[in-house]
Amino acid sequence: MSVSAVAADRSVCAPLPVLGRDVLVPLVTGGEVDYAALDYAASAPALQRVWDDVAAYAPYYGSVHRGAGYLSQLSTDLFENSRRTIGEFLGCRTDDQVVLTRSTTDSLNLLAAVLPQHTSVFVFETEHHASLLPWEQRADLTVTYLNAPRTPEQAVATLERALADREPCSASGDSAKSGPALVCVTGASNVTGELWPVRELAAAAHAHGARIVLDAAQLAPHHPVDLAELDVDWVAFSGHKLYAPFGAGVLAGRADWLQAADPYLAGGGASRTVSRRTDGGVDVEWHTTAARHEAGSPNVIGAYAIASACKALTEAGFDTLVAREQELIARVRAGLAEVPEVRVLSLFGDDAPRVGVLSFVVDGWNSSHFAAALSAEYGIGVRDGLFCAHPLVRTLLGTDPQDPGECGAPEAAPGERSLNAIRVSFGAGTPDEHVDRFLHAVKELVSDGARWNYRTENGRCVPADA
C-alpha cells in the first residue's frame, strides 16, 4: 500500500487542532505528503487556539511593568493574568509563587541556584539532562545519583534508603550533609513515556524531611498536574512541549527559598530600589515576589501562549484527552508488537501506565538510518539518538556507560556499538492517520528495506544524492 493510500485510509481527527497539520513535505521517492509530526516530546506543534490568541494580542504588544501608556498597562495585565492562569492550571497553593522562565532547563537551573548552602540533592540517573545536570554547577551541594529502578515500588524504596542514609543534621552545620535535602524526579519519562509514582516519592521525601521538585515537561501536556494533590514542593515545565511556542517556561511552588536567595539574574525588574552608597557602591532592595527572579523585559508573548494552552487543555478536558491518547498508545504498541525485529524500551514493563512517548530499536538497523528513512520516504518526523537522557538510554540498551555513542551515521563506526534509539511521540493534535502511516512505514521498512541510499553528513544520516 502506498503512503498516499495509507493517508487516505483514515480520516484526520484530533481533539485539538494544531498548526502544521496541512504542511506538505517532499518525498525522496517522488511526490509530497502531509507531514506527520510524531516528535511531540521534543517540541509539540502549536495549538491553533494559542496561535490565534497570540495573533489577536500582537498589535497591542507593549512593555511590561514599565510603561504608563495604554498598551504597556494592557500588556502588564495580560502578563500577570497569564501567571494566575498558569497557577490555576497547576493547582498552586495560596502562598506558592509562579516564576516565568525560559524552559524546564532554565527553571531547574534557577532552583539549583537558590538552594540553601549544603543542600543534599537526590536524583535518579533516569532523568533528562535538564533535571540531571543543574545541581553539579554548585560545589557546595552534595549530589547523589540513584540507580535506575525497574519498578515504581523499587523507585520509592531506593529513594527511602538513600534519604535514610543521610547524616543527621548537626547543630554547627559544619557537615556538607547537614543542610536540607531536595529530591528531583520526572513525572513521565521522555524516553519511555512511563509514569513515575510522584505521590509516593513525595511522601517518602517529606517523611525524611526532604523537599521534592517535579519535572513535568512530559507530564503536563498529557495529564493534569496539581501541586497540592501530588504534594510536591515545586513543578517545572516548558511551554514548547505544552503546545505553546515562543520560548517560555515555568517554575512554580514554595516561595521561601526563592525569596531568601539572591536573584537568579541581577537587573531591572528584579530590583525594587537601587541607591548609591557613600563609599561609591550601590545598595539594592530586591523584590520578594516572583519578579525577584525575572530580571529583564519579560517574555509576555511566551507567558500568554502558555496560559492560552493551559486554558485550551482544561476546556478540552483531560479525561477526554487521556482516553483518546491511551487508544493511540495501545494501537502503536500493538502494531510494533507485530514486528519481531522491534524492541520497545521500558523500565517498568509492558503494563506500566504511560503517556504518548515510546522509544524502540530495530534489529539490523542503526536507529538514525531508520529515522532518516521514515522522514525521507514517508514524511514522518521522529527523534533518534539518546534523547538528552544518556545514562537512561544506555541502561535500557544494555551498554556500558563508557561505550562511545555514534548518533547520525547509518552504520556504527568500526569498533563502536550503535548507541541510539528511535522515539515516537504524539498528543492531543495527532490525527489517527499519522499513527497508521507510522506503523505501515515501520513494517514496510523492516520487511522490504529502505528504497533510497543514505549517507552521513555533519553527524546526521541524510538521503544520498540520486
Side-chain angles (χ1 to χ4, degrees):
M1 184 182 294
S2 67
V3 172
S4 59
V6 173
D9 188 54
R10 183 180 293 270
S11 60
V12 173
C13 62
L16 292 173
V18 295
L19 294 181
R21 57 192 182 275
D22 300 322
V23 169
L24 295 176
V25 295
L27 302 178
V28 293
T29 51
E32 295 179 324
V33 68
D34 290 342
Y35 182 65
L38 294 178
D39 193 16
Y40 277 47
S43 282
L47 288 178
Q48 184 69 54
R49 154 80 174 270
V50 170
W51 195 259
D52 292 344
D53 283 349
V54 168
Y57 160 67
Y60 301 92
Y61 172 77
S63 62
V64 176
H65 296 151
R66 289 166 176 77
Y70 178 81
L71 297 191
S72 292
Q73 294 192 35
L74 186 149
S75 294
T76 297
D77 288 344
L78 188 78
F79 184 72
E80 293 302 334
N81 284 333
S82 296
R83 191 195 307 276
R84 284 189 285 273
T85 296
I86 294 167
E88 293 169 0
F89 179 78
L90 295 173
C92 286
R93 298 150 297 214
T94 304
D95 54 353
D96 284 337
Q97 284 189 350
V98 176
V99 182
L100 294 160
T101 67
R102 294 180 297 173
S103 60
T104 309
T105 301
D106 192 37
S107 296
L108 293 171
N109 274 272
L110 163 57
L111 185 60
V114 306
L115 293 182
Q117 286 190 329
H118 308 305
T119 296
S120 297
V121 180
F122 296 83
V123 55
F124 286 92
E125 67 172 351
T126 48
E127 294 289 311
H128 185 282
H129 294 172
S131 48
L132 188 73
L133 302 181
W135 326 107
E136 292 282 2
Q137 305 307 303
R138 282 182 50 183
D140 65 306
L141 303 182
T142 301
V143 186
T144 300
Y145 295 105
L146 306 175
N147 292 335
R150 286 299 183 170
T151 65
E153 294 76 16
Q154 190 180 68
V156 177
T158 297
L159 178 61
E160 287 181 331
R161 285 194 300 270
L163 291 171
D165 288 343
R166 291 181 65 221
E167 292 180 3
C169 295
S170 64
S172 64
D174 292 335
S175 169
K177 294 185 178 179
S178 65
L182 176 73
V183 176
C184 180
V185 66
T186 188
S189 170
N190 78 301
V191 176
T192 67
E194 292 165 315
L195 296 174
W196 278 61
V198 177
R199 290 186 188 85
E200 292 80 0
L201 290 167
H206 293 152
H208 290 275
R211 298 188 183 189
I212 185 168
V213 57
L214 170 64
D215 175 354
Q218 299 297 338
L219 183 64
H222 303 274
H223 281 267
V225 175
D226 188 303
L227 275 84
E229 182 182 350
L230 294 173
D231 197 22
V232 295
D233 298 279
W234 293 277
V235 62
F237 73 92
S238 295
H240 72 97
K241 298 185 190 299
L242 196 80
Y243 310 98
F246 308 112
V250 173
L251 176 68
R254 297 181 62 160
D256 53 350
W257 287 1
L258 293 167
Q259 293 174 348
D262 289 336
Y264 181 47
L265 297 174
S271 57
R272 294 184 64 183
T273 62
V274 181
S275 57
R276 288 293 300 274
R277 298 195 305 262
T278 56
D279 64 3
V282 295
D283 286 323
V284 184
E285 179 186 359
W286 303 106
H287 280 294
T288 57
T289 63
R292 185 183 189 89
H293 300 289
E294 294 176 347
S297 295
N299 181 358
V300 58
I301 288 183
Y304 184 44
I306 293 179
S308 174
C310 290
K311 289 180 179 178
L313 290 168
T314 300
E315 291 169 6
F318 270 109
D319 288 346
T320 299
L321 297 177
V322 169
R324 198 252 176 179
E325 184 174 299
Q326 290 304 310
E327 293 177 359
L328 294 183
I329 293 171
R331 186 184 303 171
V332 171
R333 290 183 58 82
L336 293 179
E338 295 174 358
V339 186
E341 293 83 356
V342 169
R343 176 166 69 94
V344 175
L345 305 182
S346 174
L347 269 177
F348 300 155
D350 291 343
D351 296 331
R354 66 191 70 227
V355 299
V357 180
L358 294 95
S359 296
F360 62 97
V361 292
V362 184
D363 289 347
W365 284 81
N366 176 276
S367 295
S368 294
H369 186 191
F370 200 89
L374 286 174
S375 174
E377 301 178 28
Y378 298 90
I380 299 169
V382 297
R383 176 85 180 269
D384 67 276
L386 300 177
F387 318 125
C388 291
H390 294 189
L392 171 57
V393 178
R394 285 172 170 148
T395 294
L396 294 173
L397 293 178
T399 57
D400 186 281
Q402 302 305 314
D403 282 346
E406 184 275 331
C407 299
E411 294 179 355
E416 293 186 354
R417 299 179 68 178
S418 175
L419 291 179
N420 54 351
I422 306 150
R423 184 180 69 191
V424 57
S425 52
F426 41 87
T430 303
D432 292 359
E433 184 274 317
H434 289 182
V435 168
D436 293 343
R437 192 195 317 171
F438 165 74
L439 292 173
H440 164 77
V442 169
K443 294 173 183 178
E444 192 167 79
L445 284 172
V446 171
S447 64
D448 301 340
R451 291 172 287 173
W452 206 260
N453 293 322
Y454 295 82
R455 60 184 174 83
T456 301
E457 181 179 292
N458 297 324
R460 293 294 310 165
C461 184
V462 298
D465 295 335

